[in-house]
Short mmCIF file of all heavy atoms in Angstrom, two decimals:
data_model
loop_
_atom_site.label_atom_id
_atom_site.label_comp_id
_atom_site.label_asym_id
_atom_site.label_seq_id
_atom_site.Cartn_x
_atom_site.Cartn_y
_atom_site.Cartn_z
N VAL X 106 -3.48 -13.52 -1.50
CA VAL X 106 -2.33 -12.66 -1.81
C VAL X 106 -1.49 -13.28 -2.93
O VAL X 106 -0.99 -12.57 -3.82
CB VAL X 106 -1.49 -12.42 -0.55
CG1 VAL X 106 -0.16 -11.77 -0.90
CG2 VAL X 106 -2.25 -11.55 0.44
N LEU X 108 -2.59 -15.32 -5.35
CA LEU X 108 -3.32 -15.16 -6.60
C LEU X 108 -3.19 -13.73 -7.13
O LEU X 108 -2.98 -13.53 -8.34
CB LEU X 108 -4.80 -15.49 -6.39
CG LEU X 108 -5.18 -16.96 -6.26
CD1 LEU X 108 -6.69 -17.09 -6.08
CD2 LEU X 108 -4.74 -17.74 -7.49
N VAL X 109 -3.30 -12.76 -6.23
CA VAL X 109 -3.18 -11.36 -6.65
C VAL X 109 -1.80 -11.10 -7.21
O VAL X 109 -1.64 -10.46 -8.27
CB VAL X 109 -3.49 -10.44 -5.46
CG1 VAL X 109 -3.16 -8.99 -5.81
CG2 VAL X 109 -4.95 -10.55 -5.05
N GLY X 110 -0.76 -11.59 -6.54
CA GLY X 110 0.60 -11.37 -7.02
C GLY X 110 0.85 -12.00 -8.38
O GLY X 110 1.47 -11.38 -9.26
N ILE X 111 0.36 -13.22 -8.59
CA ILE X 111 0.54 -13.89 -9.89
C ILE X 111 -0.19 -13.11 -10.99
O ILE X 111 0.36 -12.89 -12.08
CB ILE X 111 0.03 -15.34 -9.81
CG1 ILE X 111 0.92 -16.17 -8.86
CG2 ILE X 111 -0.02 -15.98 -11.19
CD1 ILE X 111 0.39 -17.56 -8.59
N ALA X 112 -1.41 -12.70 -10.72
CA ALA X 112 -2.19 -11.97 -11.73
C ALA X 112 -1.52 -10.64 -12.06
O ALA X 112 -1.48 -10.23 -13.23
CB ALA X 112 -3.62 -11.75 -11.24
N ILE X 113 -1.00 -9.95 -11.06
CA ILE X 113 -0.32 -8.67 -11.31
C ILE X 113 0.93 -8.88 -12.15
O ILE X 113 1.22 -8.11 -13.09
CB ILE X 113 0.01 -7.98 -9.97
CG1 ILE X 113 -1.27 -7.52 -9.28
CG2 ILE X 113 0.95 -6.80 -10.19
CD1 ILE X 113 -1.06 -6.97 -7.89
N GLY X 114 1.70 -9.93 -11.85
CA GLY X 114 2.90 -10.21 -12.63
C GLY X 114 2.59 -10.54 -14.08
O GLY X 114 3.26 -10.06 -15.00
N ASN X 116 -0.13 -9.68 -15.80
CA ASN X 116 -0.65 -8.49 -16.46
C ASN X 116 0.48 -7.51 -16.80
O ASN X 116 0.50 -6.92 -17.88
CB ASN X 116 -1.68 -7.82 -15.56
CG ASN X 116 -2.35 -6.62 -16.22
OD1 ASN X 116 -3.14 -6.76 -17.12
ND2 ASN X 116 -2.01 -5.43 -15.74
N ALA X 117 1.44 -7.35 -15.89
CA ALA X 117 2.56 -6.44 -16.14
C ALA X 117 3.40 -6.92 -17.31
O ALA X 117 3.87 -6.12 -18.14
CB ALA X 117 3.41 -6.29 -14.89
N ILE X 120 1.48 -6.20 -20.59
CA ILE X 120 1.51 -4.78 -20.90
C ILE X 120 2.89 -4.38 -21.43
O ILE X 120 3.01 -3.59 -22.38
CB ILE X 120 1.13 -3.95 -19.66
CG1 ILE X 120 -0.37 -4.12 -19.35
CG2 ILE X 120 1.46 -2.49 -19.86
CD1 ILE X 120 -0.82 -3.39 -18.11
N SER X 200 -3.42 8.92 -13.39
CA SER X 200 -2.51 8.00 -12.73
C SER X 200 -3.25 7.04 -11.81
O SER X 200 -3.06 5.83 -11.87
CB SER X 200 -1.45 8.78 -11.94
OG SER X 200 -0.67 7.92 -11.15
N ILE X 205 -6.29 6.14 -5.06
CA ILE X 205 -6.04 4.94 -4.27
C ILE X 205 -5.62 5.30 -2.85
O ILE X 205 -5.97 4.60 -1.89
CB ILE X 205 -4.98 4.06 -4.97
CG1 ILE X 205 -5.56 3.51 -6.27
CG2 ILE X 205 -4.54 2.91 -4.08
CD1 ILE X 205 -4.56 2.80 -7.12
N PHE X 217 -14.21 2.62 -9.24
CA PHE X 217 -12.84 3.01 -9.52
C PHE X 217 -11.91 1.80 -9.59
O PHE X 217 -10.89 1.84 -10.29
CB PHE X 217 -12.34 3.97 -8.45
CG PHE X 217 -11.04 4.64 -8.79
CD1 PHE X 217 -11.00 5.71 -9.66
CD2 PHE X 217 -9.85 4.16 -8.28
CE1 PHE X 217 -9.80 6.32 -9.98
CE2 PHE X 217 -8.65 4.75 -8.60
CZ PHE X 217 -8.63 5.83 -9.46
N LEU X 218 -12.24 0.73 -8.90
CA LEU X 218 -11.42 -0.48 -8.91
C LEU X 218 -12.17 -1.65 -9.54
O LEU X 218 -11.89 -2.81 -9.25
CB LEU X 218 -10.98 -0.85 -7.48
CG LEU X 218 -10.13 0.19 -6.75
CD1 LEU X 218 -9.84 -0.27 -5.32
CD2 LEU X 218 -8.83 0.46 -7.50
N GLY X 219 -13.12 -1.35 -10.41
CA GLY X 219 -13.93 -2.38 -11.03
C GLY X 219 -13.25 -3.05 -12.21
O GLY X 219 -12.15 -2.69 -12.64
N THR X 222 -12.71 -0.79 -15.42
CA THR X 222 -11.57 0.11 -15.24
C THR X 222 -10.27 -0.64 -15.46
O THR X 222 -9.35 -0.15 -16.14
CB THR X 222 -11.60 0.73 -13.85
OG1 THR X 222 -12.83 1.43 -13.66
CG2 THR X 222 -10.45 1.69 -13.65
N PHE X 223 -10.17 -1.84 -14.87
CA PHE X 223 -8.96 -2.65 -15.05
C PHE X 223 -8.76 -3.03 -16.52
O PHE X 223 -7.65 -2.90 -17.06
CB PHE X 223 -9.08 -3.91 -14.18
CG PHE X 223 -8.25 -5.06 -14.66
CD1 PHE X 223 -6.88 -5.07 -14.49
CD2 PHE X 223 -8.85 -6.15 -15.30
CE1 PHE X 223 -6.10 -6.13 -14.95
CE2 PHE X 223 -8.09 -7.20 -15.74
CZ PHE X 223 -6.72 -7.20 -15.57
N LYS X 226 -8.00 0.13 -18.80
CA LYS X 226 -6.69 0.72 -18.50
C LYS X 226 -5.56 -0.19 -18.94
O LYS X 226 -4.51 0.28 -19.40
CB LYS X 226 -6.58 1.02 -17.01
CG LYS X 226 -5.46 2.00 -16.66
CD LYS X 226 -5.72 2.74 -15.39
CE LYS X 226 -4.80 3.91 -15.22
NZ LYS X 226 -5.14 4.77 -14.08
N SER X 227 -5.76 -1.50 -18.85
CA SER X 227 -4.73 -2.44 -19.31
C SER X 227 -4.58 -2.38 -20.83
O SER X 227 -3.48 -2.57 -21.35
CB SER X 227 -5.09 -3.87 -18.89
OG SER X 227 -5.13 -3.97 -17.48
N LEU X 230 -3.22 1.53 -21.78
CA LEU X 230 -1.91 1.94 -21.26
C LEU X 230 -0.78 1.72 -22.28
O LEU X 230 0.01 2.64 -22.52
CB LEU X 230 -1.62 1.21 -19.95
CG LEU X 230 -0.41 1.68 -19.14
CD1 LEU X 230 -0.49 3.17 -18.88
CD2 LEU X 230 -0.34 0.92 -17.82
N LYS X 242 3.86 4.68 -17.46
CA LYS X 242 2.94 3.59 -17.13
C LYS X 242 3.14 3.07 -15.72
O LYS X 242 2.39 2.19 -15.29
CB LYS X 242 3.11 2.44 -18.12
CG LYS X 242 4.45 1.72 -18.10
CD LYS X 242 4.50 0.64 -19.17
CE LYS X 242 5.84 -0.08 -19.20
NZ LYS X 242 6.10 -0.87 -17.99
N GLU X 243 4.11 3.60 -14.98
CA GLU X 243 4.39 3.06 -13.65
C GLU X 243 3.31 3.47 -12.64
O GLU X 243 2.86 2.65 -11.83
CB GLU X 243 5.77 3.53 -13.18
CG GLU X 243 6.92 2.71 -13.71
CD GLU X 243 7.05 2.77 -15.23
OE1 GLU X 243 6.57 3.75 -15.83
OE2 GLU X 243 7.63 1.85 -15.81
N GLY X 244 2.88 4.73 -12.68
CA GLY X 244 1.78 5.15 -11.81
C GLY X 244 0.49 4.41 -12.11
O GLY X 244 -0.15 3.85 -11.21
N PRO X 245 0.04 4.39 -13.38
CA PRO X 245 -1.14 3.60 -13.71
C PRO X 245 -1.00 2.12 -13.40
O PRO X 245 -2.00 1.44 -13.18
CB PRO X 245 -1.31 3.84 -15.22
CG PRO X 245 -0.70 5.16 -15.47
CD PRO X 245 0.45 5.25 -14.51
N SER X 246 0.23 1.60 -13.41
CA SER X 246 0.42 0.18 -13.05
C SER X 246 -0.01 -0.08 -11.62
O SER X 246 -0.51 -1.17 -11.32
CB SER X 246 1.90 -0.20 -13.23
OG SER X 246 2.28 -0.12 -14.59
N VAL X 247 0.16 0.89 -10.74
CA VAL X 247 -0.31 0.75 -9.36
C VAL X 247 -1.84 0.66 -9.34
O VAL X 247 -2.42 -0.15 -8.61
CB VAL X 247 0.20 1.91 -8.50
CG1 VAL X 247 -0.34 1.81 -7.07
CG2 VAL X 247 1.72 1.94 -8.48
N HIS X 248 -2.50 1.51 -10.13
CA HIS X 248 -3.96 1.48 -10.21
C HIS X 248 -4.44 0.13 -10.76
O HIS X 248 -5.37 -0.48 -10.22
CB HIS X 248 -4.45 2.62 -11.09
CG HIS X 248 -5.93 2.73 -11.16
ND1 HIS X 248 -6.58 3.55 -12.07
CD2 HIS X 248 -6.92 2.11 -10.47
CE1 HIS X 248 -7.88 3.45 -11.91
NE2 HIS X 248 -8.12 2.57 -10.94
N VAL X 249 -3.81 -0.33 -11.82
CA VAL X 249 -4.19 -1.62 -12.40
C VAL X 249 -3.98 -2.74 -11.39
O VAL X 249 -4.82 -3.65 -11.26
CB VAL X 249 -3.38 -1.87 -13.69
CG1 VAL X 249 -3.61 -3.29 -14.19
CG2 VAL X 249 -3.77 -0.87 -14.77
N ALA X 250 -2.87 -2.70 -10.66
CA ALA X 250 -2.60 -3.74 -9.66
C ALA X 250 -3.66 -3.73 -8.56
O ALA X 250 -4.11 -4.80 -8.11
CB ALA X 250 -1.21 -3.53 -9.06
N CYS X 251 -4.08 -2.56 -8.13
CA CYS X 251 -5.13 -2.48 -7.10
C CYS X 251 -6.47 -2.97 -7.65
O CYS X 251 -7.27 -3.56 -6.90
CB CYS X 251 -5.25 -1.05 -6.58
SG CYS X 251 -3.86 -0.52 -5.57
N CYS X 252 -6.73 -2.73 -8.93
CA CYS X 252 -7.95 -3.29 -9.54
C CYS X 252 -7.90 -4.81 -9.51
O CYS X 252 -8.91 -5.47 -9.20
CB CYS X 252 -8.08 -2.80 -10.98
SG CYS X 252 -8.50 -1.04 -11.16
N VAL X 253 -6.74 -5.38 -9.84
CA VAL X 253 -6.59 -6.84 -9.79
C VAL X 253 -6.84 -7.35 -8.38
O VAL X 253 -7.56 -8.33 -8.17
CB VAL X 253 -5.19 -7.24 -10.29
CG1 VAL X 253 -4.94 -8.73 -10.05
CG2 VAL X 253 -5.02 -6.90 -11.75
N GLY X 254 -6.23 -6.68 -7.38
CA GLY X 254 -6.44 -7.11 -6.00
C GLY X 254 -7.88 -7.02 -5.57
O GLY X 254 -8.39 -7.92 -4.88
N ASN X 255 -8.56 -5.95 -5.96
CA ASN X 255 -9.96 -5.79 -5.57
C ASN X 255 -10.85 -6.84 -6.24
O ASN X 255 -11.75 -7.40 -5.59
CB ASN X 255 -10.42 -4.39 -5.96
CG ASN X 255 -11.87 -4.14 -5.61
OD1 ASN X 255 -12.25 -3.99 -4.46
ND2 ASN X 255 -12.72 -4.08 -6.63
N ILE X 256 -10.61 -7.12 -7.52
CA ILE X 256 -11.45 -8.09 -8.23
C ILE X 256 -11.27 -9.49 -7.65
O ILE X 256 -12.25 -10.20 -7.41
CB ILE X 256 -11.10 -8.06 -9.73
CG1 ILE X 256 -11.50 -6.72 -10.35
CG2 ILE X 256 -11.78 -9.20 -10.47
CD1 ILE X 256 -10.98 -6.51 -11.75
N ILE X 257 -10.03 -9.89 -7.42
CA ILE X 257 -9.78 -11.25 -6.90
C ILE X 257 -10.26 -11.38 -5.47
O ILE X 257 -10.92 -12.37 -5.10
CB ILE X 257 -8.29 -11.59 -7.02
CG1 ILE X 257 -7.90 -11.69 -8.50
CG2 ILE X 257 -7.97 -12.89 -6.29
CD1 ILE X 257 -6.45 -11.99 -8.72
N ALA X 258 -9.98 -10.40 -4.62
CA ALA X 258 -10.39 -10.48 -3.22
C ALA X 258 -11.90 -10.46 -3.07
O ALA X 258 -12.45 -11.07 -2.13
CB ALA X 258 -9.76 -9.35 -2.42
N MET X 271 -9.94 -5.99 3.05
CA MET X 271 -9.85 -5.50 1.68
C MET X 271 -8.80 -4.42 1.55
O MET X 271 -8.05 -4.37 0.55
CB MET X 271 -11.21 -4.96 1.24
CG MET X 271 -11.27 -4.57 -0.23
SD MET X 271 -10.98 -5.97 -1.35
CE MET X 271 -12.56 -6.81 -1.21
N ILE X 274 -5.39 -5.97 1.29
CA ILE X 274 -5.12 -6.48 -0.06
C ILE X 274 -4.77 -5.33 -1.00
O ILE X 274 -3.85 -5.44 -1.83
CB ILE X 274 -6.34 -7.26 -0.58
CG1 ILE X 274 -6.54 -8.55 0.25
CG2 ILE X 274 -6.16 -7.61 -2.05
CD1 ILE X 274 -5.40 -9.54 0.12
N LEU X 275 -5.48 -4.21 -0.90
CA LEU X 275 -5.19 -3.08 -1.77
C LEU X 275 -3.80 -2.50 -1.49
O LEU X 275 -3.08 -2.11 -2.41
CB LEU X 275 -6.25 -2.00 -1.59
CG LEU X 275 -7.67 -2.36 -2.04
CD1 LEU X 275 -8.61 -1.18 -1.83
CD2 LEU X 275 -7.68 -2.79 -3.50
N THR X 276 -3.42 -2.45 -0.22
CA THR X 276 -2.08 -1.97 0.12
C THR X 276 -1.02 -2.90 -0.44
O THR X 276 0.00 -2.46 -1.00
CB THR X 276 -1.93 -1.84 1.64
OG1 THR X 276 -2.97 -1.00 2.16
CG2 THR X 276 -0.59 -1.24 2.00
N ALA X 277 -1.24 -4.20 -0.29
CA ALA X 277 -0.30 -5.17 -0.84
C ALA X 277 -0.25 -5.09 -2.37
O ALA X 277 0.82 -5.23 -2.97
CB ALA X 277 -0.69 -6.58 -0.40
N SER X 278 -1.40 -4.84 -2.99
CA SER X 278 -1.44 -4.73 -4.45
C SER X 278 -0.67 -3.51 -4.94
O SER X 278 0.01 -3.56 -5.97
CB SER X 278 -2.89 -4.66 -4.93
OG SER X 278 -3.61 -5.81 -4.56
N SER X 279 -0.77 -2.40 -4.21
CA SER X 279 -0.02 -1.21 -4.61
C SER X 279 1.48 -1.46 -4.51
O SER X 279 2.26 -0.99 -5.37
CB SER X 279 -0.41 -0.02 -3.73
OG SER X 279 -0.01 -0.21 -2.38
N ALA X 280 1.90 -2.21 -3.50
CA ALA X 280 3.31 -2.57 -3.40
C ALA X 280 3.74 -3.44 -4.57
O ALA X 280 4.82 -3.25 -5.16
CB ALA X 280 3.57 -3.29 -2.08
N ALA X 281 2.90 -4.39 -4.95
CA ALA X 281 3.22 -5.26 -6.09
C ALA X 281 3.23 -4.48 -7.40
O ALA X 281 4.03 -4.78 -8.30
CB ALA X 281 2.21 -6.40 -6.17
N GLY X 282 2.37 -3.47 -7.53
CA GLY X 282 2.36 -2.65 -8.74
C GLY X 282 3.66 -1.92 -8.94
O GLY X 282 4.21 -1.87 -10.06
N VAL X 283 4.21 -1.34 -7.89
CA VAL X 283 5.51 -0.67 -7.99
C VAL X 283 6.62 -1.69 -8.20
O VAL X 283 7.59 -1.45 -8.93
CB VAL X 283 5.77 0.17 -6.73
CG1 VAL X 283 7.18 0.78 -6.74
CG2 VAL X 283 4.74 1.29 -6.62
N ALA X 284 6.49 -2.86 -7.57
CA ALA X 284 7.52 -3.89 -7.69
C ALA X 284 7.69 -4.35 -9.13
O ALA X 284 8.82 -4.49 -9.62
CB ALA X 284 7.17 -5.07 -6.78
N VAL X 285 6.58 -4.59 -9.83
CA VAL X 285 6.70 -5.06 -11.22
C VAL X 285 7.04 -3.90 -12.16
O VAL X 285 7.60 -4.13 -13.24
CB VAL X 285 5.39 -5.74 -11.67
CG1 VAL X 285 5.14 -6.99 -10.86
CG2 VAL X 285 4.19 -4.79 -11.57
N ALA X 286 6.72 -2.68 -11.78
CA ALA X 286 7.04 -1.54 -12.63
C ALA X 286 8.54 -1.25 -12.65
O ALA X 286 9.10 -0.92 -13.70
CB ALA X 286 6.27 -0.29 -12.16
N CYS X 316 3.22 -10.35 -1.54
CA CYS X 316 2.54 -10.08 -2.81
C CYS X 316 3.52 -9.50 -3.82
O CYS X 316 3.52 -9.90 -4.99
CB CYS X 316 1.38 -9.11 -2.57
SG CYS X 316 0.32 -8.82 -4.01
N ALA X 317 4.37 -8.56 -3.39
CA ALA X 317 5.37 -7.99 -4.29
C ALA X 317 6.36 -9.04 -4.75
O ALA X 317 6.78 -9.06 -5.92
CB ALA X 317 6.09 -6.84 -3.58
N ALA X 320 4.61 -11.33 -7.33
CA ALA X 320 4.45 -10.62 -8.60
C ALA X 320 5.78 -10.49 -9.33
O ALA X 320 5.85 -10.66 -10.56
CB ALA X 320 3.84 -9.24 -8.34
#
Side-chain angles (χ1 to χ4, degrees):
V106 169
L108 285 181
V109 171
I111 293 173
I113 291 174
N116 184 72
I120 290 178
S200 172
I205 293 172
F217 191 80
L218 299 177
T222 302
F223 156 74
K226 198 154 193 172
S227 298
L230 190 54
K242 65 182 178 67
E243 278 64 23
S246 295
V247 177
H248 184 191
V249 172
C251 289
C252 289
V253 172
N255 180 72
I256 293 170
I257 293 179
M271 186 62 75
I274 293 296
L275 294 181
T276 305
S278 300
S279 66
V283 175
V285 296
C316 187

